[in-house]
């Protein structure tokens, strides 16, 4: 009976992390689509198209500034009182702020107040997402059977891809409206739909059990008083390495999901529906590839799979833009699908298991949240703005953006080289900054 309970709890945890993460990233990515397609005109009128897009992408990036604060606060909560409670709160914050964005008046109605409200809600949304990923990753990884943390840890990452699919399909359907209707009210529909998705997510997460790893440290009175202080004092090396390891997939993911949409429509002249369709297909294929790479890391180790993803990201940078610039719908589709499914999937699918294994259970939520969200500011939030600025600086040529992607991949490869292989160790082993200790909880 007890033997059967472990896989059942693990499956329930994997489902909860997948569904909840899909909803939260749906919320987050519809903002990116709106920033690329309509926010420039609606909230920053009177500017040139590229300046309007830059302004909208800057607001997109603002959300990343609040994510480390969310990671710290919800990391503290998750390490002190449990993973489940933190995940329920983050889902509500993100979902309600997203719904409110769909109700915002535009600059035509309220002037300067419109972008101010947009920035405020984006900050709240980012705050909620900042605490989401760490908790969802730990719920899946800490509940996984031994030897299967890579594949179970891939579930929240698959939720990210599902969120991309849902957000892309939602905006694809809305953008099929006549342009006047789309700009008047159609863009609001994907944001308002978030409210229904949040209700579904809450029902699932409220039924979630606490993870075995956290339950053990709570039962043995080993919960630390200040997780943030402890993680900064004892896990600085792991923080730096996990942050560096996340740079490449963050840059590549936001190049494909956000920057490519504006680049392909404004610079190349492709239809927005065709680019959104290619992105949806890429994310759909990415759901499977993310799981496969996570499972592969259980067999061959985290480091070789992660390093392959970083190498593929660097090698594919220039060919990707050549495929986009061809104007061929087939080549654009193949380029976006291959780059996302392999380049992002081989790195992103490994992160929950690998990062969790780098930190002690008592500070794990704080550790992986801080590393993830700092990388999010450096590589995720700034990427669309930096890429658009590089494009403008180069007179519309893509080569600086390709070099930017390669540089990010090199940073990640260096971090991987310095990280230890962790696939075979126990999650309950006490970690130290430079080595894995032998004492267990």
């Amino acid at each position: 009976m007890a033997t059967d309970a472990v896989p059942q709890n693990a499956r329930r945890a994997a489902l909860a992390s997948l569904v909840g993460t899909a909803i939260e990233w749906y919320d987050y990515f519809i903002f990116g689509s709106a920033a690329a397609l309509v926010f420039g005109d609606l909230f920053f009128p009177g500017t040139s198209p590229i300046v309007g897009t830059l302004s909208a992408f800057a607001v997109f990036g603002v959300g990343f500034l609040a994510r480390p604060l969310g990671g710290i606060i919800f990391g503290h909560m998750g390490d002190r009182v449990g993973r489940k409670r933190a995940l329920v709160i983050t889902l509500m914050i993100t979902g309600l702020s997203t719904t409110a964005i769909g109700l915002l008046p535009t600059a035509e109605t309220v002037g300067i107040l419109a972008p101010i409200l947009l920035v405020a809600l984006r900050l709240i949304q980012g705050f909620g997402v900042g605490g989401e990923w760490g908790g969802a990753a730990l719920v899946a990884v800490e509940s996984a059977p031994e030897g299967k943390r890579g594949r179970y840890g891939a579930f929240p990452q698959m939720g990210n891809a599902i969120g991309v699919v849902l957000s892309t399909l939602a905006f694809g359907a809305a953008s099929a409206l006549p342009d006047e209707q789309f700009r008047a009210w159609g863009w609001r529909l994907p944001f308002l739909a978030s409210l229904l998705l949040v209700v579904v997510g809450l029902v699932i997460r409220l039924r979630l059990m606490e993870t075995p790893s956290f339950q053990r440290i709570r039962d043995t009175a080993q919960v630390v008083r200040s997780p943030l202080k402890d993680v900064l004092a004892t896990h600085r090396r792991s923080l730096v390495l996990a942050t560096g390891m996340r740079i490449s997939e963050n840059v590549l993911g936001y190049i494909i999901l956000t920057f490519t949409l504006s680049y392909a429509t404004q610079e190349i002249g492709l239809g927005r529906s065709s680019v959104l369709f290619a992105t949806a297909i890429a994310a759909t294929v990415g759901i499977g590839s993310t799981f496969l790479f996570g499972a592969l890391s259980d067999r061959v180790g985290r480091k070789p799979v992660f390093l392959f993803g970083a190498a593929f990201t660097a090698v594919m940078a220039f060919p990707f833009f050549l495929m986009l610039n061809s104007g061929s719908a087939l080549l654009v589709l193949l380029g976006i699908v291959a780059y996302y499914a392999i380049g992002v999937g081989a790195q992103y699918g490994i992160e929950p298991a690998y990062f969790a294994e780098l930190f002690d259970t008592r500070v794990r939520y704080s550790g992986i949240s801080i590393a993830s969200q700092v990388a999010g500011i450096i590589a995720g939030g700034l990427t669309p703005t930096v890429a658009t600025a590089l494009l403008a600086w180069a007179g519309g040529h893509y080569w600086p953006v390709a070099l930017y992607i390669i540089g990010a991949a090199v940073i990640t490869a260096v971090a991987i080289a310095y990280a230890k292989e962790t696939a075979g160790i126990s999650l309950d082993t006490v970690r130290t900054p430079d080595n894995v200790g032998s004492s267990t909880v």
Side-chain angles (χ1 to χ4, degrees):
M1 190 80 168
T3 305
D4 293 336
V6 175
Q8 182 180 357
N9 292 339
R11 288 192 294 269
R12 185 182 295 121
L15 176 63
S17 66
L18 183 147
V19 173
T21 304
I23 294 169
E24 295 220 23
W25 284 110
Y26 164 85
D27 292 344
Y28 213 65
F29 281 126
I30 56 175
F31 195 104
S33 297
L37 295 175
V38 295
F39 278 174
D41 291 338
L42 296 177
F43 291 89
F44 305 95
T47 60
S48 66
I50 195 165
V51 172
T53 301
L54 269 172
S55 299
F57 279 158
V59 178
F60 175 80
V62 161
F64 287 81
L65 297 178
R67 283 170 60 170
L69 179 61
I72 290 170
I73 291 177
F74 289 108
H76 179 89
M77 179 183 294
D79 284 328
R80 290 279 298 158
V81 302
R83 317 325 193 187
K84 173 183 174 178
R85 188 178 301 181
L87 284 180
V88 169
I89 296 174
T90 59
L91 182 61
M92 292 180 63
I93 289 174
T94 309
L96 293 178
S97 61
T98 301
T99 303
I101 290 173
L103 299 172
L104 278 181
T106 64
E108 184 181 5
T109 305
V110 296
I112 191 64
L113 184 60
I116 292 174
L117 291 173
L118 184 65
V119 169
L121 288 173
R122 179 62 173 172
L123 285 169
I124 296 171
Q125 191 188 50
F127 176 73
V129 170
E132 158 66 22
W133 182 80
L138 293 189
V139 162
V141 172
E142 291 183 344
S143 301
E146 285 295 328
K148 295 184 178 181
R149 291 195 296 264
R151 68 190 66 191
Y152 276 81
F155 274 86
Q157 314 302 75
M158 292 161 62
N160 179 289
I162 293 171
V164 173
V165 173
L166 291 176
S167 66
T168 304
L169 291 177
F171 252 94
S175 65
L177 292 167
D179 195 64
E180 184 177 342
Q181 295 180 27
F182 175 67
R183 293 179 180 278
W185 53 267
W187 68 270
R188 299 178 183 275
L189 299 179
F191 288 92
L192 298 177
S194 173
L195 189 59
L196 295 176
L197 296 176
V198 168
V199 173
V200 174
L202 283 176
V203 169
I204 294 173
R205 284 195 168 173
L206 286 171
R207 299 175 60 191
L208 190 63
M209 295 177 62
E210 192 51 77
T211 71
S213 292
F214 182 78
Q215 192 62 49
R216 276 191 287 271
I217 66 165
R218 183 158 58 187
D219 290 345
T220 54
Q222 295 191 59
V223 175
V224 298
R225 184 178 183 86
S226 177
L228 176 61
K229 180 180 178 180
D230 281 25
V231 79
L232 292 176
T234 62
H235 288 72
R236 288 189 296 270
R237 175 187 173 91
S238 294
L239 281 171
V240 171
L241 292 178
T243 301
M245 289 163 68
R246 211 169 180 215
I247 296 293
S248 176
E249 63 85 2
N250 253 234
V251 167
L252 180 58
Y254 284 103
I255 285 287
I256 295 174
L257 299 176
T258 304
F259 170 77
T260 296
L261 183 56
S262 63
Y263 175 77
T265 54
Q266 295 179 15
E267 299 294 326
I268 303 175
L270 297 175
R272 67 184 177 215
S273 295
S274 62
V275 181
L276 286 169
F277 174 76
T279 303
I281 295 298
T284 302
V285 176
I287 295 169
S289 68
T290 296
F291 177 79
L292 291 175
F293 284 121
L296 181 63
S297 75
D298 285 330
R299 297 179 63 87
V300 304
R302 317 288 185 223
K303 290 187 69 167
V305 179
F306 214 131
L307 188 59
F308 166 75
F312 183 85
T313 297
V315 170
M316 187 68 180
F318 278 96
F320 172 68
F321 282 100
L322 289 174
M323 295 172 82
L324 289 182
N325 285 359
S326 70
S328 164
L330 179 59
L331 286 178
V332 169
L333 175 64
L334 290 175
I336 292 176
V337 169
Y339 215 10
Y340 184 85
I342 300 175
V344 175
Q347 300 174 86
Y348 196 55
I350 317 302
E351 288 174 357
Y354 207 164
F355 293 178
E357 290 160 352
L358 290 174
F359 293 93
D360 188 274
T361 303
R362 294 166 293 185
V363 297
R364 185 172 289 139
Y365 201 140
S366 297
I368 70 172
S369 294
I370 293 169
S372 171
Q373 303 315 325
V374 169
I377 291 179
I378 297 171
L382 292 178
T383 287
T385 305
V386 170
T388 304
L390 288 172
L391 190 70
W393 173 76
H397 202 282
Y398 64 81
W399 66 265
V401 183
L403 290 178
Y404 178 56
I405 295 171
I406 293 171
V410 170
I411 291 172
T412 289
V414 171
I416 295 168
Y418 279 94
K420 296 178 180 295
E421 178 58 69
T422 59
I425 68 173
S426 169
L427 272 186
D428 293 329
T429 301
V430 177
R431 275 73 171 158
T432 63
D434 299 310
N435 64 306
V436 177
S438 58
S439 59
T440 57
V441 176

